[in-house]
Amino acid sequence: MSIKTIERKVLQKNDEVASDNRLFFKKNGILALNLVSSPGSGKTSLLEKTLEKLKTRVRMAVVIGDVQTDLDARRLDSFGLPVIQLVTNGACHLEATLVQEALSDIQAEQTDLLFIENVGNLVCPAGFDLGEAMKVVIASTTEGDDKPLKYPAMFRNASVLVINKTDLIPYVNCDLAELRNNALRINPSLTIFETSCVNDDGLDNWCDWLVQQVEK
Amino acid sequence: MSIKTIERKVLQKNDEVASDNRLFFKKNGILALNLVSSPGSGKTSLLEKTLEKLKTRVRMAVVIGDVQTDLDARRLDSFGLPVIQLVTNGACHLEATLVQEALSDIQAEQTDLLFIENVGNLVCPAGFDLGEAMKVVIASTTEGDDKPLKYPAMFRNASVLVINKTDLIPYVNCDLAELRNNALRINPSLTIFETSCVNDDGLDNWCDWLVQQVEK
């Protein structure tokens, strides 16, 4: 076994627009969360459940990034909230400029909580600040317990980890304690939730925490 | 709901080196497969099972790309085959140059089948030719049945789809027929396998097909 390493410069010009977005969110009293994960971790299902539970408690809006299709936006369109679909046409992450373009459509003065659902990708979105208050990384139990070690940038840059699909624990090779330990080794200050959108476990904790953050 | 679109140029300078790699593989009679998928789809488990089943039938080598860590290479190191770990230090895909650097370490004249395990990412690796004969996309049943529609470039550029973790079908929201249909809508010429590394289903079909490809 031999190991070779390459270096890669991360483009930083995105950060100026991200600062503008952050100022916009602050001025308008909007808590913006950047939801990041692998494809198929259940981001959209988690959003569906969250919108359902919080729709009478918090004024929300959603910006969704996808490489292609508006399938996710269609899933969320029944809640009567502003849902903006961003199609990146092959690009592997959202950038601050694209989010900025969407902000004119979200009715900012009537929004307290903005979910930005990023493209499904555990690598690239880690390096692109969108101006969010926090990154929330969603990890499915089906992905195993080693993902924080293999994709450390994402877990290091996130403030919150949602371990989703806990209902599948009996059937998959994932040690929850080990997953938590690996995540906390990478980022000791992570706030961690465990959720299942199938049996509703942990969703109320997650939603109550969101309400607390909005009211801060 | 509103839809915004951006365009992104794909860098093509990678292709020259990929052509060199392709020539190298042809000269040395090596079938090179580029394994691509989301994080946690089971690429490394599939490789473990495949190496175990084929180690007496085919001369193999493995090149593994990861953002960080050599965890995957360690898992495969017990087979006594050449295993080269490439660490991209944050980059979201393998590029042809990095693979070229690894080729000096694989004992080309003693290799008939080379697996290149790409970084876990359903987006970026689609655009980067490594010189492989085929891309093999691995999709886990836990990711749902809509991924071909949401990440079409990867499924369009692949020759083979391995639907992995079929043992979890009873517990997840994934219609196998729908997944196959969606994949074939994007790419009608896909060869499709269904596998489980837990109960061994479909692995012999997959391995027999690999042997046939090597012998072509």
PDB file of all heavy atoms in Angstrom, chain A residues 79-100:
ATOM      1  N   PHE A  79     -46.805  22.818   1.083  1.00  0.00           N
ATOM      2  CA  PHE A  79     -46.921  23.457   2.393  1.00  0.00           C
ATOM      3  C   PHE A  79     -47.327  24.926   2.323  1.00  0.00           C
ATOM      4  O   PHE A  79     -47.513  25.569   3.351  1.00  0.00           O
ATOM      5  CB  PHE A  79     -45.609  23.311   3.181  1.00  0.00           C
ATOM      6  CG  PHE A  79     -45.313  21.901   3.591  1.00  0.00           C
ATOM      7  CD1 PHE A  79     -44.479  21.102   2.827  1.00  0.00           C
ATOM      8  CD2 PHE A  79     -45.895  21.353   4.723  1.00  0.00           C
ATOM      9  CE1 PHE A  79     -44.208  19.798   3.199  1.00  0.00           C
ATOM     10  CE2 PHE A  79     -45.642  20.047   5.100  1.00  0.00           C
ATOM     11  CZ  PHE A  79     -44.792  19.264   4.330  1.00  0.00           C
ATOM     12  N   GLY A  80     -47.424  25.472   1.113  1.00  0.00           N
ATOM     13  CA  GLY A  80     -47.828  26.863   0.982  1.00  0.00           C
ATOM     14  C   GLY A  80     -46.767  27.860   1.416  1.00  0.00           C
ATOM     15  O   GLY A  80     -47.066  29.007   1.724  1.00  0.00           O
ATOM     16  N   LEU A  81     -45.521  27.413   1.481  1.00  0.00           N
ATOM     17  CA  LEU A  81     -44.414  28.289   1.864  1.00  0.00           C
ATOM     18  C   LEU A  81     -43.620  28.662   0.607  1.00  0.00           C
ATOM     19  O   LEU A  81     -43.695  27.971  -0.400  1.00  0.00           O
ATOM     20  CB  LEU A  81     -43.461  27.549   2.804  1.00  0.00           C
ATOM     21  CG  LEU A  81     -44.061  26.964   4.074  1.00  0.00           C
ATOM     22  CD1 LEU A  81     -43.070  26.001   4.712  1.00  0.00           C
ATOM     23  CD2 LEU A  81     -44.400  28.101   5.033  1.00  0.00           C
ATOM     24  N   PRO A  82     -42.825  29.740   0.669  1.00  0.00           N
ATOM     25  CA  PRO A  82     -41.948  30.015  -0.471  1.00  0.00           C
ATOM     26  C   PRO A  82     -40.917  28.894  -0.636  1.00  0.00           C
ATOM     27  O   PRO A  82     -40.190  28.579   0.308  1.00  0.00           O
ATOM     28  CB  PRO A  82     -41.243  31.325  -0.077  1.00  0.00           C
ATOM     29  CG  PRO A  82     -42.100  31.929   0.985  1.00  0.00           C
ATOM     30  CD  PRO A  82     -42.727  30.779   1.713  1.00  0.00           C
ATOM     31  N   VAL A  83     -40.904  28.278  -1.796  1.00  0.00           N
ATOM     32  CA  VAL A  83     -39.933  27.224  -2.108  1.00  0.00           C
ATOM     33  C   VAL A  83     -39.240  27.609  -3.415  1.00  0.00           C
ATOM     34  O   VAL A  83     -39.887  27.697  -4.458  1.00  0.00           O
ATOM     35  CB  VAL A  83     -40.606  25.847  -2.267  1.00  0.00           C
ATOM     36  CG1 VAL A  83     -39.572  24.799  -2.698  1.00  0.00           C
ATOM     37  CG2 VAL A  83     -41.270  25.421  -0.968  1.00  0.00           C
ATOM     38  N   ILE A  84     -37.948  27.865  -3.354  1.00  0.00           N
ATOM     39  CA  ILE A  84     -37.200  28.295  -4.534  1.00  0.00           C
ATOM     40  C   ILE A  84     -36.269  27.163  -4.949  1.00  0.00           C
ATOM     41  O   ILE A  84     -35.420  26.743  -4.160  1.00  0.00           O
ATOM     42  CB  ILE A  84     -36.316  29.537  -4.246  1.00  0.00           C
ATOM     43  CG1 ILE A  84     -37.020  30.529  -3.330  1.00  0.00           C
ATOM     44  CG2 ILE A  84     -35.813  30.151  -5.542  1.00  0.00           C
ATOM     45  CD1 ILE A  84     -38.222  31.175  -3.908  1.00  0.00           C
ATOM     46  N   GLN A  85     -36.438  26.660  -6.151  1.00  0.00           N
ATOM     47  CA  GLN A  85     -35.545  25.597  -6.653  1.00  0.00           C
ATOM     48  C   GLN A  85     -34.403  26.227  -7.438  1.00  0.00           C
ATOM     49  O   GLN A  85     -34.618  26.988  -8.375  1.00  0.00           O
ATOM     50  CB  GLN A  85     -36.321  24.654  -7.569  1.00  0.00           C
ATOM     51  CG  GLN A  85     -35.468  23.591  -8.240  1.00  0.00           C
ATOM     52  CD  GLN A  85     -35.178  22.391  -7.330  1.00  0.00           C
ATOM     53  OE1 GLN A  85     -36.090  21.801  -6.777  1.00  0.00           O
ATOM     54  NE2 GLN A  85     -33.905  22.047  -7.172  1.00  0.00           N
ATOM     55  N   LEU A  86     -33.182  25.917  -7.053  1.00  0.00           N
ATOM     56  CA  LEU A  86     -32.003  26.321  -7.811  1.00  0.00           C
ATOM     57  C   LEU A  86     -31.460  25.089  -8.525  1.00  0.00           C
ATOM     58  O   LEU A  86     -31.195  24.077  -7.893  1.00  0.00           O
ATOM     59  CB  LEU A  86     -30.924  26.875  -6.870  1.00  0.00           C
ATOM     60  CG  LEU A  86     -31.319  28.086  -6.030  1.00  0.00           C
ATOM     61  CD1 LEU A  86     -30.196  28.448  -5.058  1.00  0.00           C
ATOM     62  CD2 LEU A  86     -31.648  29.277  -6.903  1.00  0.00           C
ATOM     63  N   VAL A  87     -31.313  25.185  -9.834  1.00  0.00           N
ATOM     64  CA  VAL A  87     -30.752  24.071 -10.600  1.00  0.00           C
ATOM     65  C   VAL A  87     -29.344  24.460 -11.032  1.00  0.00           C
ATOM     66  O   VAL A  87     -29.148  25.468 -11.703  1.00  0.00           O
ATOM     67  CB  VAL A  87     -31.621  23.741 -11.838  1.00  0.00           C
ATOM     68  CG1 VAL A  87     -30.989  22.622 -12.650  1.00  0.00           C
ATOM     69  CG2 VAL A  87     -33.023  23.353 -11.414  1.00  0.00           C
ATOM     70  N   THR A  88     -28.346  23.687 -10.588  1.00  0.00           N
ATOM     71  CA  THR A  88     -26.954  24.101 -10.834  1.00  0.00           C
ATOM     72  C   THR A  88     -26.426  23.613 -12.179  1.00  0.00           C
ATOM     73  O   THR A  88     -25.296  23.928 -12.535  1.00  0.00           O
ATOM     74  CB  THR A  88     -26.016  23.568  -9.729  1.00  0.00           C
ATOM     75  OG1 THR A  88     -25.941  22.145  -9.832  1.00  0.00           O
ATOM     76  CG2 THR A  88     -26.510  23.970  -8.351  1.00  0.00           C
ATOM     77  N   ASN A  89     -27.231  22.837 -12.915  1.00  0.00           N
ATOM     78  CA  ASN A  89     -26.798  22.326 -14.223  1.00  0.00           C
ATOM     79  C   ASN A  89     -25.454  21.611 -14.165  1.00  0.00           C
ATOM     80  O   ASN A  89     -24.549  21.909 -14.946  1.00  0.00           O
ATOM     81  CB  ASN A  89     -26.697  23.466 -15.234  1.00  0.00           C
ATOM     82  CG  ASN A  89     -27.874  23.458 -16.186  1.00  0.00           C
ATOM     83  OD1 ASN A  89     -28.782  22.642 -16.051  1.00  0.00           O
ATOM     84  ND2 ASN A  89     -27.856  24.362 -17.137  1.00  0.00           N
ATOM     85  N   GLY A  90     -25.294  20.729 -13.229  1.00  0.00           N
ATOM     86  CA  GLY A  90     -24.082  19.932 -13.176  1.00  0.00           C
ATOM     87  C   GLY A  90     -23.101  20.366 -12.111  1.00  0.00           C
ATOM     88  O   GLY A  90     -22.217  19.596 -11.757  1.00  0.00           O
ATOM     89  N   ALA A  91     -23.217  21.595 -11.618  1.00  0.00           N
ATOM     90  CA  ALA A  91     -22.282  22.025 -10.570  1.00  0.00           C
ATOM     91  C   ALA A  91     -22.599  21.291  -9.273  1.00  0.00           C
ATOM     92  O   ALA A  91     -23.754  20.994  -8.974  1.00  0.00           O
ATOM     93  CB  ALA A  91     -22.351  23.531 -10.354  1.00  0.00           C
ATOM     94  N   CYS A  92     -21.554  21.022  -8.517  1.00  0.00           N
ATOM     95  CA  CYS A  92     -21.645  20.056  -7.442  1.00  0.00           C
ATOM     96  C   CYS A  92     -21.962  20.661  -6.079  1.00  0.00           C
ATOM     97  O   CYS A  92     -21.920  19.975  -5.068  1.00  0.00           O
ATOM     98  CB  CYS A  92     -20.316  19.324  -7.358  1.00  0.00           C
ATOM     99  SG  CYS A  92     -18.938  20.486  -7.262  1.00  0.00           S
ATOM    100  N   HIS A  93     -22.259  21.961  -6.044  1.00  0.00           N
ATOM    101  CA  HIS A  93     -22.529  22.626  -4.768  1.00  0.00           C
ATOM    102  C   HIS A  93     -23.242  23.940  -5.068  1.00  0.00           C
ATOM    103  O   HIS A  93     -23.173  24.446  -6.188  1.00  0.00           O
ATOM    104  CB  HIS A  93     -21.224  22.916  -4.035  1.00  0.00           C
ATOM    105  CG  HIS A  93     -20.289  23.746  -4.865  1.00  0.00           C
ATOM    106  ND1 HIS A  93     -19.391  23.198  -5.743  1.00  0.00           N
ATOM    107  CD2 HIS A  93     -20.154  25.087  -5.000  1.00  0.00           C
ATOM    108  CE1 HIS A  93     -18.721  24.147  -6.360  1.00  0.00           C
ATOM    109  NE2 HIS A  93     -19.160  25.307  -5.947  1.00  0.00           N
ATOM    110  N   LEU A  94     -23.916  24.490  -4.068  1.00  0.00           N
ATOM    111  CA  LEU A  94     -24.458  25.837  -4.202  1.00  0.00           C
ATOM    112  C   LEU A  94     -23.350  26.835  -3.940  1.00  0.00           C
ATOM    113  O   LEU A  94     -22.449  26.589  -3.136  1.00  0.00           O
ATOM    114  CB  LEU A  94     -25.597  26.054  -3.211  1.00  0.00           C
ATOM    115  CG  LEU A  94     -26.909  25.335  -3.534  1.00  0.00           C
ATOM    116  CD1 LEU A  94     -27.930  25.594  -2.425  1.00  0.00           C
ATOM    117  CD2 LEU A  94     -27.465  25.793  -4.880  1.00  0.00           C
ATOM    118  N   GLU A  95     -23.426  27.986  -4.621  1.00  0.00           N
ATOM    119  CA  GLU A  95     -22.514  29.096  -4.325  1.00  0.00           C
ATOM    120  C   GLU A  95     -23.339  30.281  -3.852  1.00  0.00           C
ATOM    121  O   GLU A  95     -24.545  30.353  -4.083  1.00  0.00           O
ATOM    122  CB  GLU A  95     -21.687  29.429  -5.570  1.00  0.00           C
ATOM    123  CG  GLU A  95     -20.792  28.256  -5.951  1.00  0.00           C
ATOM    124  CD  GLU A  95     -19.811  28.550  -7.083  1.00  0.00           C
ATOM    125  OE1 GLU A  95     -19.652  29.725  -7.459  1.00  0.00           O
ATOM    126  OE2 GLU A  95     -19.215  27.576  -7.580  1.00  0.00           O
ATOM    127  N   ALA A  96     -22.646  31.194  -3.158  1.00  0.00           N
ATOM    128  CA  ALA A  96     -23.343  32.307  -2.510  1.00  0.00           C
ATOM    129  C   ALA A  96     -24.119  33.167  -3.507  1.00  0.00           C
ATOM    130  O   ALA A  96     -25.215  33.655  -3.204  1.00  0.00           O
ATOM    131  CB  ALA A  96     -22.329  33.157  -1.734  1.00  0.00           C
ATOM    132  N   THR A  97     -23.573  33.339  -4.715  1.00  0.00           N
ATOM    133  CA  THR A  97     -24.231  34.194  -5.711  1.00  0.00           C
ATOM    134  C   THR A  97     -25.598  33.646  -6.100  1.00  0.00           C
ATOM    135  O   THR A  97     -26.567  34.395  -6.257  1.00  0.00           O
ATOM    136  CB  THR A  97     -23.357  34.268  -6.989  1.00  0.00           C
ATOM    137  OG1 THR A  97     -22.045  34.629  -6.585  1.00  0.00           O
ATOM    138  CG2 THR A  97     -23.893  35.289  -7.964  1.00  0.00           C
ATOM    139  N   LEU A  98     -25.669  32.339  -6.256  1.00  0.00           N
ATOM    140  CA  LEU A  98     -26.924  31.702  -6.666  1.00  0.00           C
ATOM    141  C   LEU A  98     -27.967  31.847  -5.557  1.00  0.00           C
ATOM    142  O   LEU A  98     -29.145  32.134  -5.818  1.00  0.00           O
ATOM    143  CB  LEU A  98     -26.653  30.229  -6.980  1.00  0.00           C
ATOM    144  CG  LEU A  98     -27.752  29.464  -7.715  1.00  0.00           C
ATOM    145  CD1 LEU A  98     -28.120  30.135  -9.029  1.00  0.00           C
ATOM    146  CD2 LEU A  98     -27.320  28.033  -7.968  1.00  0.00           C
ATOM    147  N   VAL A  99     -27.519  31.692  -4.306  1.00  0.00           N
ATOM    148  CA  VAL A  99     -28.434  31.870  -3.183  1.00  0.00           C
ATOM    149  C   VAL A  99     -28.910  33.320  -3.131  1.00  0.00           C
ATOM    150  O   VAL A  99     -30.095  33.605  -2.911  1.00  0.00           O
ATOM    151  CB  VAL A  99     -27.752  31.465  -1.862  1.00  0.00           C
ATOM    152  CG1 VAL A  99     -28.616  31.842  -0.668  1.00  0.00           C
ATOM    153  CG2 VAL A  99     -27.468  29.961  -1.867  1.00  0.00           C
ATOM    154  N   GLN A 100     -27.987  34.251  -3.376  1.00  0.00           N
ATOM    155  CA  GLN A 100     -28.343  35.678  -3.366  1.00  0.00           C
ATOM    156  C   GLN A 100     -29.464  35.956  -4.379  1.00  0.00           C
ATOM    157  O   GLN A 100     -30.391  36.716  -4.093  1.00  0.00           O
ATOM    158  CB  GLN A 100     -27.104  36.521  -3.703  1.00  0.00           C
ATOM    159  CG  GLN A 100     -27.305  38.010  -3.505  1.00  0.00           C
ATOM    160  CD  GLN A 100     -25.994  38.760  -3.700  1.00  0.00           C
ATOM    161  OE1 GLN A 100     -25.270  38.528  -4.660  1.00  0.00           O
ATOM    162  NE2 GLN A 100     -25.679  39.641  -2.770  1.00  0.00           N
TER     163      GLN A 100
END
